[in-house]
Amino acid sequence: MTTVTFFTEGQRITGFQAEGHSGYAAEGEDIVCAAVTSSVRLVECVLNDVMGLCASVKVQDKNARITLRLPGSLGPAAEETCQTLLAGLMVHFSELHSEYPGNIEVMEAQ
């Protein structure tokens, strides 16, 4: 199962961690893993390559884990954009959980 944990401080989403293989299908054919990977890569590209924020990204292939953390101090416009993007990612993963409850779990952690 893939577990996605969103890290929060009060109402602010500070990042997330996605870990594990969904087990929906064999590697290379797993649509749930493909959806998670594609979504995570899109968010990382928007934050770092488009917005230039230098969000911290750590990848551990051995554990099938990726962790992304926002920088601490963002301007108001960047903060609003980041929160909208991460909230959208959370909704997207929650919808995936509704469709594939045995393959992806979504949680929040303080």
Side-chain angles (χ1 to χ4, degrees):
M1 176 176 292
T2 298
T3 302
V4 182
T5 305
F6 285 87
F7 306 116
T8 59
E9 291 176 359
Q11 297 295 319
R12 182 176 191 253
I13 302 171
T14 60
F16 63 88
Q17 178 174 281
E19 181 175 27
H21 293 289
S22 78
Y24 180 78
E27 189 174 329
E29 299 176 9
D30 192 320
I31 61 173
V32 177
C33 276
V36 170
T37 300
S38 179
S39 301
V40 165
R41 296 190 96 176
L42 174 64
V43 168
E44 189 273 329
C45 286
V46 169
L47 294 174
N48 288 335
D49 299 333
V50 175
M51 296 179 69
L53 296 181
C54 299
S56 170
V57 179
K58 294 181 183 173
V59 178
Q60 293 179 318
D61 289 330
K62 178 181 175 185
N63 299 326
R65 178 187 304 151
I66 185 166
T67 305
L68 184 143
R69 293 281 190 165
L70 291 178
S73 58
L74 297 172
E79 180 68 34
E80 183 177 347
T81 300
C82 289
Q83 292 307 304
T84 300
L85 185 60
L86 292 176
L89 184 65
M90 187 184 294
V91 170
H92 174 64
F93 286 152
S94 295
E95 291 295 320
L96 279 175
H97 170 74
S98 294
E99 293 178 46
Y100 304 96
N103 304 100
I104 182 170
E105 188 66 45
V106 181
M107 304 181 327
E108 288 184 48
Q110 293 280 332

mmCIF file of all heavy atoms in Angstrom, residues 50-74:
data_model
loop_
_atom_site.group_PDB
_atom_site.id
_atom_site.type_symbol
_atom_site.label_atom_id
_atom_site.label_comp_id
_atom_site.label_asym_id
_atom_site.label_seq_id
_atom_site.Cartn_x
_atom_site.Cartn_y
_atom_site.Cartn_z
ATOM 1 N N VAL A 50 9.164 25.940 -11.666
ATOM 2 C CA VAL A 50 8.342 27.056 -12.138
ATOM 3 C C VAL A 50 8.392 28.225 -11.161
ATOM 4 O O VAL A 50 8.633 29.367 -11.555
ATOM 5 C CB VAL A 50 6.875 26.598 -12.382
ATOM 6 C CG1 VAL A 50 6.001 27.776 -12.756
ATOM 7 C CG2 VAL A 50 6.827 25.522 -13.462
ATOM 8 N N MET A 51 8.182 27.951 -9.867
ATOM 9 C CA MET A 51 8.152 29.021 -8.875
ATOM 10 C C MET A 51 9.533 29.359 -8.319
ATOM 11 O O MET A 51 9.708 30.399 -7.695
ATOM 12 C CB MET A 51 7.207 28.645 -7.729
ATOM 13 C CG MET A 51 5.752 28.498 -8.166
ATOM 14 S SD MET A 51 4.653 28.017 -6.801
ATOM 15 C CE MET A 51 4.683 29.518 -5.810
ATOM 16 N N GLY A 52 10.507 28.467 -8.496
ATOM 17 C CA GLY A 52 11.869 28.716 -8.019
ATOM 18 C C GLY A 52 12.009 28.756 -6.511
ATOM 19 O O GLY A 52 12.822 29.506 -5.980
ATOM 20 N N LEU A 53 11.256 27.919 -5.793
ATOM 21 C CA LEU A 53 11.224 28.005 -4.326
ATOM 22 C C LEU A 53 12.276 27.177 -3.600
ATOM 23 O O LEU A 53 12.495 27.369 -2.420
ATOM 24 C CB LEU A 53 9.846 27.588 -3.807
ATOM 25 C CG LEU A 53 8.696 28.483 -4.217
ATOM 26 C CD1 LEU A 53 7.400 27.970 -3.614
ATOM 27 C CD2 LEU A 53 8.948 29.917 -3.809
ATOM 28 N N CYS A 54 12.891 26.230 -4.241
ATOM 29 C CA CYS A 54 13.877 25.367 -3.585
ATOM 30 C C CYS A 54 13.265 24.564 -2.438
ATOM 31 O O CYS A 54 13.821 24.492 -1.336
ATOM 32 C CB CYS A 54 15.079 26.161 -3.094
ATOM 33 S SG CYS A 54 15.962 26.989 -4.413
ATOM 34 N N ALA A 55 12.105 23.965 -2.695
ATOM 35 C CA ALA A 55 11.517 23.060 -1.704
ATOM 36 C C ALA A 55 12.453 21.871 -1.538
ATOM 37 O O ALA A 55 13.068 21.405 -2.498
ATOM 38 C CB ALA A 55 10.137 22.591 -2.166
ATOM 39 N N SER A 56 12.586 21.390 -0.324
ATOM 40 C CA SER A 56 13.448 20.247 -0.027
ATOM 41 C C SER A 56 12.776 18.960 -0.514
ATOM 42 O O SER A 56 11.637 18.673 -0.152
ATOM 43 C CB SER A 56 13.684 20.166 1.482
ATOM 44 O OG SER A 56 14.309 18.944 1.819
ATOM 45 N N VAL A 57 13.499 18.202 -1.329
ATOM 46 C CA VAL A 57 12.984 16.936 -1.843
ATOM 47 C C VAL A 57 14.013 15.853 -1.544
ATOM 48 O O VAL A 57 15.181 15.978 -1.904
ATOM 49 C CB VAL A 57 12.723 17.002 -3.366
ATOM 50 C CG1 VAL A 57 12.223 15.667 -3.873
ATOM 51 C CG2 VAL A 57 11.739 18.109 -3.701
ATOM 52 N N LYS A 58 13.561 14.798 -0.867
ATOM 53 C CA LYS A 58 14.436 13.663 -0.569
ATOM 54 C C LYS A 58 13.793 12.405 -1.135
ATOM 55 O O LYS A 58 12.619 12.125 -0.867
ATOM 56 C CB LYS A 58 14.629 13.503 0.940
ATOM 57 C CG LYS A 58 15.383 14.657 1.565
ATOM 58 C CD LYS A 58 15.569 14.463 3.046
ATOM 59 C CE LYS A 58 16.263 15.686 3.627
ATOM 60 N NZ LYS A 58 16.341 15.650 5.067
ATOM 61 N N VAL A 59 14.566 11.659 -1.921
ATOM 62 C CA VAL A 59 14.082 10.433 -2.544
ATOM 63 C C VAL A 59 14.880 9.268 -1.990
ATOM 64 O O VAL A 59 16.115 9.317 -1.958
ATOM 65 C CB VAL A 59 14.229 10.491 -4.080
ATOM 66 C CG1 VAL A 59 13.773 9.186 -4.709
ATOM 67 C CG2 VAL A 59 13.457 11.671 -4.653
ATOM 68 N N GLN A 60 14.177 8.235 -1.546
ATOM 69 C CA GLN A 60 14.811 7.001 -1.092
ATOM 70 C C GLN A 60 14.217 5.865 -1.916
ATOM 71 O O GLN A 60 13.134 5.355 -1.598
ATOM 72 C CB GLN A 60 14.572 6.768 0.394
ATOM 73 C CG GLN A 60 15.254 7.778 1.294
ATOM 74 C CD GLN A 60 14.949 7.511 2.757
ATOM 75 O OE1 GLN A 60 13.821 7.214 3.123
ATOM 76 N NE2 GLN A 60 15.967 7.635 3.592
ATOM 77 N N ASP A 61 14.927 5.494 -2.980
ATOM 78 C CA ASP A 61 14.431 4.437 -3.860
ATOM 79 C C ASP A 61 14.273 3.110 -3.138
ATOM 80 O O ASP A 61 13.338 2.366 -3.397
ATOM 81 C CB ASP A 61 15.363 4.264 -5.068
ATOM 82 C CG ASP A 61 15.265 5.424 -6.036
ATOM 83 O OD1 ASP A 61 14.181 6.030 -6.132
ATOM 84 O OD2 ASP A 61 16.281 5.728 -6.688
ATOM 85 N N LYS A 62 15.189 2.818 -2.215
ATOM 86 C CA LYS A 62 15.152 1.547 -1.484
ATOM 87 C C LYS A 62 13.812 1.357 -0.760
ATOM 88 O O LYS A 62 13.264 0.272 -0.725
ATOM 89 C CB LYS A 62 16.309 1.494 -0.481
ATOM 90 C CG LYS A 62 16.351 0.247 0.356
ATOM 91 C CD LYS A 62 17.514 0.289 1.329
ATOM 92 C CE LYS A 62 17.485 -0.904 2.258
ATOM 93 N NZ LYS A 62 18.527 -0.839 3.279
ATOM 94 N N ASN A 63 13.283 2.446 -0.195
ATOM 95 C CA ASN A 63 12.028 2.383 0.563
ATOM 96 C C ASN A 63 10.830 2.883 -0.240
ATOM 97 O O ASN A 63 9.743 3.005 0.312
ATOM 98 C CB ASN A 63 12.139 3.216 1.838
ATOM 99 C CG ASN A 63 13.235 2.723 2.751
ATOM 100 O OD1 ASN A 63 13.491 1.530 2.826
ATOM 101 N ND2 ASN A 63 13.902 3.630 3.419
ATOM 102 N N ALA A 64 11.044 3.197 -1.525
ATOM 103 C CA ALA A 64 9.980 3.785 -2.355
ATOM 104 C C ALA A 64 9.357 4.965 -1.609
ATOM 105 O O ALA A 64 8.151 5.043 -1.418
ATOM 106 C CB ALA A 64 8.932 2.752 -2.720
ATOM 107 N N ARG A 65 10.217 5.907 -1.200
ATOM 108 C CA ARG A 65 9.772 7.046 -0.400
ATOM 109 C C ARG A 65 10.267 8.347 -1.007
ATOM 110 O O ARG A 65 11.407 8.452 -1.419
ATOM 111 C CB ARG A 65 10.312 6.921 1.016
ATOM 112 C CG ARG A 65 9.928 8.089 1.914
ATOM 113 C CD ARG A 65 10.613 8.031 3.268
ATOM 114 N NE ARG A 65 10.352 6.775 3.936
ATOM 115 C CZ ARG A 65 11.209 6.209 4.805
ATOM 116 N NH1 ARG A 65 12.360 6.771 5.076
ATOM 117 N NH2 ARG A 65 10.895 5.075 5.396
ATOM 118 N N ILE A 66 9.371 9.330 -1.040
ATOM 119 C CA ILE A 66 9.761 10.693 -1.416
ATOM 120 C C ILE A 66 9.150 11.641 -0.402
ATOM 121 O O ILE A 66 7.989 11.490 -0.011
ATOM 122 C CB ILE A 66 9.340 11.056 -2.852
ATOM 123 C CG1 ILE A 66 9.875 12.441 -3.218
ATOM 124 C CG2 ILE A 66 7.836 10.949 -3.041
ATOM 125 C CD1 ILE A 66 9.821 12.761 -4.688
ATOM 126 N N THR A 67 9.966 12.576 0.058
ATOM 127 C CA THR A 67 9.524 13.562 1.036
ATOM 128 C C THR A 67 9.776 14.948 0.463
ATOM 129 O O THR A 67 10.852 15.206 -0.073
ATOM 130 C CB THR A 67 10.293 13.397 2.363
ATOM 131 O OG1 THR A 67 10.154 12.051 2.816
ATOM 132 C CG2 THR A 67 9.778 14.358 3.421
ATOM 133 N N LEU A 68 8.788 15.802 0.564
ATOM 134 C CA LEU A 68 8.903 17.178 0.093
ATOM 135 C C LEU A 68 8.500 18.099 1.232
ATOM 136 O O LEU A 68 7.470 17.888 1.866
ATOM 137 C CB LEU A 68 8.003 17.418 -1.117
ATOM 138 C CG LEU A 68 8.111 18.801 -1.748
ATOM 139 C CD1 LEU A 68 7.984 18.699 -3.253
ATOM 140 C CD2 LEU A 68 7.072 19.764 -1.202
ATOM 141 N N ARG A 69 9.334 19.111 1.476
ATOM 142 C CA ARG A 69 9.058 20.114 2.517
ATOM 143 C C ARG A 69 9.166 21.504 1.900
ATOM 144 O O ARG A 69 10.113 21.795 1.171
ATOM 145 C CB ARG A 69 10.064 20.017 3.659
ATOM 146 C CG ARG A 69 9.977 18.743 4.464
ATOM 147 C CD ARG A 69 8.855 18.798 5.435
ATOM 148 N NE ARG A 69 8.931 17.680 6.363
ATOM 149 C CZ ARG A 69 8.253 17.621 7.478
ATOM 150 N NH1 ARG A 69 7.442 18.599 7.827
ATOM 151 N NH2 ARG A 69 8.348 16.583 8.264
ATOM 152 N N LEU A 70 8.201 22.354 2.224
ATOM 153 C CA LEU A 70 8.243 23.738 1.764
ATOM 154 C C LEU A 70 9.303 24.514 2.533
ATOM 155 O O LEU A 70 9.572 24.198 3.698
ATOM 156 C CB LEU A 70 6.894 24.430 2.001
ATOM 157 C CG LEU A 70 5.713 23.983 1.164
ATOM 158 C CD1 LEU A 70 4.468 24.743 1.589
ATOM 159 C CD2 LEU A 70 5.999 24.195 -0.320
ATOM 160 N N PRO A 71 9.863 25.553 1.909
ATOM 161 C CA PRO A 71 10.747 26.443 2.662
ATOM 162 C C PRO A 71 9.951 27.144 3.768
ATOM 163 O O PRO A 71 8.728 27.290 3.663
ATOM 164 C CB PRO A 71 11.214 27.461 1.620
ATOM 165 C CG PRO A 71 10.820 26.935 0.297
ATOM 166 C CD PRO A 71 9.731 25.935 0.513
ATOM 167 N N GLY A 72 10.644 27.576 4.809
ATOM 168 C CA GLY A 72 9.974 28.165 5.962
ATOM 169 C C GLY A 72 9.313 29.505 5.742
ATOM 170 O O GLY A 72 8.193 29.730 6.161
ATOM 171 N N SER A 73 9.997 30.409 5.095
ATOM 172 C CA SER A 73 9.435 31.754 4.964
ATOM 173 C C SER A 73 9.162 32.058 3.490
ATOM 174 O O SER A 73 10.088 32.215 2.702
ATOM 175 C CB SER A 73 10.390 32.789 5.556
ATOM 176 O OG SER A 73 11.650 32.717 4.907
ATOM 177 N N LEU A 74 7.899 32.132 3.170
ATOM 178 C CA LEU A 74 7.478 32.451 1.810
ATOM 179 C C LEU A 74 6.718 33.768 1.837
ATOM 180 O O LEU A 74 6.068 34.096 2.825
ATOM 181 C CB LEU A 74 6.553 31.357 1.270
ATOM 182 C CG LEU A 74 7.148 29.962 1.125
ATOM 183 C CD1 LEU A 74 6.056 28.954 0.772
ATOM 184 C CD2 LEU A 74 8.245 29.947 0.070
#
